[in-house]
Amino acid sequence: VQLQASGGGLVQAGDSLRLSCAASGINFNYAMGWFRQAPGKEREFVGRINWSGGSTYIADSVKGRFTISRDNTKVYLQMNSLKPEDTAVYYCAAGSRGASMKPELYDYWGQGTLVTVSS
């Protein structure tokens, strides 16, 4: 099983980025989540989407700026109006136990993609 996150980079405050997560070796009928970890901080839930894409949830800290979606092959995190506090390594995760905010309920993790937002 492999999850490959991509799309990170260095942007300025107010810019947008779209992160992608491609899954291989896995039944794509898994719930997917996005988490992030800033330097010196704990991993933080960002958003999750169920297997069909019909149910999504975004953390309050990014609500109104970030959206999560999926198609048959990838999961996406659209990030708009980025702020310096969004700087972190972003991870995608796949879970068979339903969409959740809890990282311990996810079975597989990608390697992360770095997002750096300059002021």
Side-chain angles (χ1 to χ4, degrees):
V1 175
Q2 186 174 15
L3 299 180
Q4 183 72 39
S6 61
L10 173 63
V11 297
Q12 293 186 335
D15 286 350
S16 297
L17 276 177
R18 188 192 197 199
L19 305 184
S20 299
C21 176
S24 59
I26 188 175
N27 183 333
F28 206 58
N29 289 337
Y30 271 55
M32 301 294 292
W34 284 99
F35 294 79
R36 67 184 182 183
Q37 189 165 18
K41 295 187 177 181
E42 294 186 352
R43 191 165 295 192
E44 174 190 16
F45 168 78
V46 176
R48 57 90 170 147
I49 187 167
N50 73 336
W51 70 272
S52 69
S55 175
T56 63
Y57 184 79
I58 294 291
D60 288 343
S61 59
V62 299
K63 193 168 292 182
R65 299 189 297 120
F66 290 15
T67 57
I68 187 170
S69 62
R70 67 188 300 169
D71 59 23
N72 288 336
T73 60
K74 293 184 179 179
V75 177
Y76 306 96
L77 184 68
Q78 178 67 43
M79 306 186 296
N80 299 327
S81 302
L82 283 161
K83 303 177 181 180
E85 52 263 43
D86 295 320
T87 294
V89 177
Y90 284 72
Y91 298 90
C92 61
S96 60
R97 287 166 281 185
S100 174
M101 297 171 56
K102 299 179 180 180
E104 61 267 28
L105 295 184
Y106 288 84
D107 305 303
Y108 305 105
W109 290 81
Q111 85 291 353
T113 184
L114 176 63
V115 173
T116 304
V117 185
S118 63
S119 58

